[in-house]
Amino acid sequence: MNSQRQSSSYRSRILQPASERQPKSHPLTWRLRDDGQVVDLQDYEAKEGYVALRQVLEAGDPQAVIATMKEANVRGRGGAGFSAGLKWSLTMQGPDMPRGYIVCNADEMEPGTFKDRLLMEQQPHLLIEGMVLAAFANNARYGYIFLRGEYVESARVLAQALDEARQAGWLGSDIAGSGFDFDIALHTGAGRYICGEETALLNSLEGNRANPRAKPPFPGQSGAWGKPTVVNNVETLCNVPAVMLRGADWYQGLSGGRTEDGGTKLYGASGLVNRPGLWELPIGTTGREILDLAGGLRDGRQLKAWLPGGASTGFLLPDHLDLPLDFDTVGQEGSRLGTGLITVVTEEQSMVSLMRNLEEFFARESCGWCTPCRDGLPWAVRLLRALEQGEGQPGDIELLDKLAADCGPGLTFCAHAPGAAMPLQTALQHFRHEFEQGVQRPKGEAHADPIPVGEV
Amino acid sequence: MEPTQASHQQTIATDGFRLHPEDEAAIREEAGHYEQPQAACIEALKTVQRRHGWVPDDAIPAIARVLGVGPASVEGVATFYSLIFRQPVGRHVILVCDSSSCFLTGYDALRQVLSERLGIGLGETTADDRFTLLPGCCLGACDGGPAMMIGDDVYGPVTGEDLPGILEAYP
């Protein structure tokens, strides 16, 4: 019994051995240990830890930090792909402005995504160093790590690392003798996917329901408690120390000419693949390369479709496997790179059932603030359930088209409903015949078991 | 479990809940981390939940008083977040991940085996108050799908064979 318990305990891990991860090619993961233990302060400092921060504080030029980030073009790794340097350059600063906040978006809840967990559970100081650098550049006086409540291990590791950093003088007043003051608190949530939306996150941080806020004003102008606030994803912030240490040109060169984007990306694969997992790879790596690393599909299954970066991205086809997975290329194909962690759908898995599952998720997680999302998504769920049972009515598919269109970008208060619409629209576009099969079945005729029940 | 206006008034009148002094101190300390004490609201609810297993209606005005905000603000938060429980739960809460990756790797079967073993459906608690079974949003363990959490522990991939051994560790 004991061994069974141990074997099914989940542990976050990277599938590349340490020997394959080098400082100049794997800035996010080269310090990670093969035994999966935490890179503590001593270990981190022995591996170039806090060197970038010391150099930046000695140079004493926040604007230079922002300029380097812009030049490196570090694009937001939470899924939106917005230039972090550009975001920072828009933070209100000046003698008349109060010092604001750095908020790390560690609310990793995008279905199919398990990357930030690894960075927080095994290498917390890289995130802390990235946050202090971001704070220095943006003149923030305090930082929060907004961590989803279910990441209990991340919370434990981060709390310990924050103590270590404080004791070593990397947090607190007069950091490294620079005169710069900054500290970080850990804020853990209590569920709800919408908290990952940056303005909903701010409402949640302030202790309110996580409804999104209208933009403008953007958080950089008026964020937490009305102060200038920068919200960045964990992986984005973890890129900052290496960019400061090795420069924008080096960062740009990491993609090796595969794409105009720079840097590396934590890519991953889940679904019925032989080796589901995570790898740090040059940005612009293709879906085929990632599936090869994942050992291909289980038991000779055939690939039908894939989500490139979570539930809120559009379905891609086997034909798309050789495209470089960067923000612009995937965007041009009617999808989004999103978080860059692939979800694989195999030939015999029903798109109707999968869409029903996805829309149940989005409907449940809607904050209920605006109508298309609150009322449209449950309606889509009802239609999809009927189609799944072979009880769809003529016109249902056209209605799904319309519901998805009405949830599109610009028609709702935040990106939640557009995120729900994108997989639905692409599924209807590429796999319409599967939905059509759900219409007008003779009563009583059973639908074939739509999703194989897996290995359980 | 959303209380009506009437039950709220009754709650304040009866005031049947006393915050544990340690919890009150912890909430006050947490509130000091923010510009406004309201920001400690979620942590306050979690603090009460850690001690009682759930958040009884009478705890709402008690928390509101400590934070210096209206009970409606606390109630609004307490009814929004899915990991704040507003009715009693078992000693161990099982969150079964029902998001896409787990759905594609065996969620339906795992939920079914769990239901059969425990004799309860989603949202229910076993008669001996040992387990409550709840659906969970993507647990970020997709490379270990199908995944679930019991209390603070994450399991995945979970097979039907593993399940008895896993459950045994939670008396």
Side-chain angles (χ1 to χ4, degrees), chain B residues 27-28 31 36-38 60-71 73-74:
Chain B
I27 293 166
R28 287 190 193 283
Q36 305 275 344
Q38 165 87 28
I60 300 293
I63 290 171
R65 266 198 292 272
V66 174
L67 298 178
V69 299
S73 306
V74 179

mmCIF file of all heavy atoms in Angstrom, chain B residues 27-28 31 36-38 60-71 73-74:
data_model
loop_
_atom_site.group_PDB
_atom_site.id
_atom_site.type_symbol
_atom_site.label_atom_id
_atom_site.label_comp_id
_atom_site.label_asym_id
_atom_site.label_seq_id
_atom_site.Cartn_x
_atom_site.Cartn_y
_atom_site.Cartn_z
ATOM 1 N N ILE B 27 -5.664 37.286 12.159
ATOM 2 C CA ILE B 27 -6.353 38.117 11.162
ATOM 3 C C ILE B 27 -5.871 39.559 11.265
ATOM 4 O O ILE B 27 -5.598 40.215 10.255
ATOM 5 C CB ILE B 27 -7.885 38.029 11.350
ATOM 6 C CG1 ILE B 27 -8.372 36.606 11.025
ATOM 7 C CG2 ILE B 27 -8.598 39.045 10.474
ATOM 8 C CD1 ILE B 27 -9.794 36.309 11.486
ATOM 9 N N ARG B 28 -5.729 40.036 12.495
ATOM 10 C CA ARG B 28 -5.244 41.418 12.664
ATOM 11 C C ARG B 28 -3.835 41.571 12.097
ATOM 12 O O ARG B 28 -3.494 42.583 11.478
ATOM 13 C CB ARG B 28 -5.270 41.826 14.144
ATOM 14 C CG ARG B 28 -6.665 42.076 14.662
ATOM 15 C CD ARG B 28 -6.673 42.715 16.046
ATOM 16 N NE ARG B 28 -8.001 42.652 16.639
ATOM 17 C CZ ARG B 28 -9.014 43.465 16.302
ATOM 18 N NH1 ARG B 28 -8.838 44.403 15.395
ATOM 19 N NH2 ARG B 28 -10.201 43.325 16.872
ATOM 20 N N ALA B 31 -3.999 41.641 8.350
ATOM 21 C CA ALA B 31 -4.545 42.909 7.855
ATOM 22 C C ALA B 31 -3.457 43.981 7.778
ATOM 23 O O ALA B 31 -3.531 44.901 6.960
ATOM 24 C CB ALA B 31 -5.695 43.365 8.752
ATOM 25 N N GLN B 36 -5.478 48.444 3.241
ATOM 26 C CA GLN B 36 -6.814 48.416 3.827
ATOM 27 C C GLN B 36 -7.055 47.032 4.445
ATOM 28 O O GLN B 36 -6.724 46.021 3.821
ATOM 29 C CB GLN B 36 -7.879 48.633 2.745
ATOM 30 C CG GLN B 36 -7.706 49.893 1.912
ATOM 31 C CD GLN B 36 -8.333 51.110 2.576
ATOM 32 O OE1 GLN B 36 -9.143 50.956 3.494
ATOM 33 N NE2 GLN B 36 -7.935 52.282 2.131
ATOM 34 N N PRO B 37 -7.653 46.993 5.633
ATOM 35 C CA PRO B 37 -7.856 45.691 6.298
ATOM 36 C C PRO B 37 -8.766 44.740 5.529
ATOM 37 O O PRO B 37 -8.626 43.523 5.649
ATOM 38 C CB PRO B 37 -8.467 46.065 7.652
ATOM 39 C CG PRO B 37 -8.838 47.489 7.569
ATOM 40 C CD PRO B 37 -8.049 48.128 6.480
ATOM 41 N N GLN B 38 -9.670 45.278 4.698
ATOM 42 C CA GLN B 38 -10.565 44.425 3.899
ATOM 43 C C GLN B 38 -9.776 43.376 3.106
ATOM 44 O O GLN B 38 -10.256 42.276 2.841
ATOM 45 C CB GLN B 38 -11.371 45.316 2.927
ATOM 46 C CG GLN B 38 -12.084 44.601 1.782
ATOM 47 C CD GLN B 38 -13.479 44.110 2.159
ATOM 48 O OE1 GLN B 38 -14.137 44.690 3.017
ATOM 49 N NE2 GLN B 38 -13.930 43.030 1.531
ATOM 50 N N ILE B 60 -19.456 35.363 9.942
ATOM 51 C CA ILE B 60 -19.347 36.492 9.009
ATOM 52 C C ILE B 60 -19.317 37.834 9.743
ATOM 53 O O ILE B 60 -18.388 38.629 9.559
ATOM 54 C CB ILE B 60 -20.482 36.434 7.958
ATOM 55 C CG1 ILE B 60 -20.398 35.116 7.158
ATOM 56 C CG2 ILE B 60 -20.451 37.659 7.045
ATOM 57 C CD1 ILE B 60 -19.187 34.976 6.272
ATOM 58 N N PRO B 61 -20.324 38.126 10.589
ATOM 59 C CA PRO B 61 -20.261 39.419 11.291
ATOM 60 C C PRO B 61 -19.060 39.515 12.240
ATOM 61 O O PRO B 61 -18.531 40.611 12.454
ATOM 62 C CB PRO B 61 -21.591 39.489 12.050
ATOM 63 C CG PRO B 61 -22.164 38.124 12.007
ATOM 64 C CD PRO B 61 -21.584 37.416 10.839
ATOM 65 N N ALA B 62 -18.629 38.362 12.759
ATOM 66 C CA ALA B 62 -17.468 38.393 13.666
ATOM 67 C C ALA B 62 -16.214 38.835 12.901
ATOM 68 O O ALA B 62 -15.437 39.669 13.374
ATOM 69 C CB ALA B 62 -17.264 37.008 14.296
ATOM 70 N N ILE B 63 -16.031 38.271 11.703
ATOM 71 C CA ILE B 63 -14.885 38.674 10.878
ATOM 72 C C ILE B 63 -15.022 40.138 10.473
ATOM 73 O O ILE B 63 -14.049 40.904 10.502
ATOM 74 C CB ILE B 63 -14.785 37.765 9.629
ATOM 75 C CG1 ILE B 63 -14.365 36.351 10.033
ATOM 76 C CG2 ILE B 63 -13.813 38.345 8.609
ATOM 77 C CD1 ILE B 63 -14.450 35.330 8.900
ATOM 78 N N ALA B 64 -16.248 40.518 10.106
ATOM 79 C CA ALA B 64 -16.484 41.899 9.674
ATOM 80 C C ALA B 64 -16.084 42.886 10.765
ATOM 81 O O ALA B 64 -15.478 43.926 10.489
ATOM 82 C CB ALA B 64 -17.953 42.084 9.284
ATOM 83 N N ARG B 65 -16.410 42.541 12.002
ATOM 84 C CA ARG B 65 -16.063 43.445 13.097
ATOM 85 C C ARG B 65 -14.555 43.606 13.242
ATOM 86 O O ARG B 65 -14.051 44.700 13.431
ATOM 87 C CB ARG B 65 -16.679 42.945 14.416
ATOM 88 C CG ARG B 65 -18.031 43.576 14.707
ATOM 89 C CD ARG B 65 -18.413 43.416 16.167
ATOM 90 N NE ARG B 65 -18.668 42.007 16.497
ATOM 91 C CZ ARG B 65 -19.873 41.432 16.361
ATOM 92 N NH1 ARG B 65 -20.891 42.129 15.926
ATOM 93 N NH2 ARG B 65 -20.034 40.168 16.671
ATOM 94 N N VAL B 66 -13.834 42.490 13.125
ATOM 95 C CA VAL B 66 -12.369 42.569 13.269
ATOM 96 C C VAL B 66 -11.777 43.426 12.156
ATOM 97 O O VAL B 66 -10.862 44.224 12.383
ATOM 98 C CB VAL B 66 -11.743 41.153 13.236
ATOM 99 C CG1 VAL B 66 -10.225 41.246 13.248
ATOM 100 C CG2 VAL B 66 -12.226 40.342 14.420
ATOM 101 N N LEU B 67 -12.309 43.276 10.939
ATOM 102 C CA LEU B 67 -11.744 44.015 9.804
ATOM 103 C C LEU B 67 -12.288 45.439 9.705
ATOM 104 O O LEU B 67 -11.798 46.248 8.918
ATOM 105 C CB LEU B 67 -12.022 43.264 8.494
ATOM 106 C CG LEU B 67 -11.399 41.866 8.375
ATOM 107 C CD1 LEU B 67 -11.805 41.212 7.053
ATOM 108 C CD2 LEU B 67 -9.877 41.946 8.465
ATOM 109 N N GLY B 68 -13.333 45.723 10.466
ATOM 110 C CA GLY B 68 -13.911 47.059 10.414
ATOM 111 C C GLY B 68 -14.672 47.333 9.134
ATOM 112 O O GLY B 68 -14.677 48.460 8.634
ATOM 113 N N VAL B 69 -15.282 46.283 8.582
ATOM 114 C CA VAL B 69 -16.084 46.456 7.361
ATOM 115 C C VAL B 69 -17.487 45.906 7.618
ATOM 116 O O VAL B 69 -17.730 45.257 8.643
ATOM 117 C CB VAL B 69 -15.445 45.727 6.151
ATOM 118 C CG1 VAL B 69 -14.059 46.288 5.872
ATOM 119 C CG2 VAL B 69 -15.376 44.221 6.388
ATOM 120 N N GLY B 70 -18.398 46.143 6.691
ATOM 121 C CA GLY B 70 -19.759 45.652 6.855
ATOM 122 C C GLY B 70 -19.835 44.153 6.617
ATOM 123 O O GLY B 70 -19.041 43.607 5.839
ATOM 124 N N PRO B 71 -20.793 43.492 7.284
ATOM 125 C CA PRO B 71 -20.925 42.037 7.072
ATOM 126 C C PRO B 71 -21.222 41.674 5.617
ATOM 127 O O PRO B 71 -20.806 40.612 5.153
ATOM 128 C CB PRO B 71 -22.086 41.623 7.988
ATOM 129 C CG PRO B 71 -22.645 42.857 8.562
ATOM 130 C CD PRO B 71 -21.713 43.995 8.309
ATOM 131 N N SER B 73 -19.943 42.912 2.952
ATOM 132 C CA SER B 73 -18.685 42.788 2.199
ATOM 133 C C SER B 73 -18.074 41.417 2.419
ATOM 134 O O SER B 73 -17.589 40.772 1.489
ATOM 135 C CB SER B 73 -17.665 43.826 2.663
ATOM 136 O OG SER B 73 -18.181 45.099 2.601
ATOM 137 N N VAL B 74 -18.095 40.971 3.669
ATOM 138 C CA VAL B 74 -17.500 39.673 3.982
ATOM 139 C C VAL B 74 -18.348 38.552 3.383
ATOM 140 O O VAL B 74 -17.827 37.589 2.811
ATOM 141 C CB VAL B 74 -17.361 39.498 5.513
ATOM 142 C CG1 VAL B 74 -16.760 38.138 5.846
ATOM 143 C CG2 VAL B 74 -16.505 40.621 6.094
#
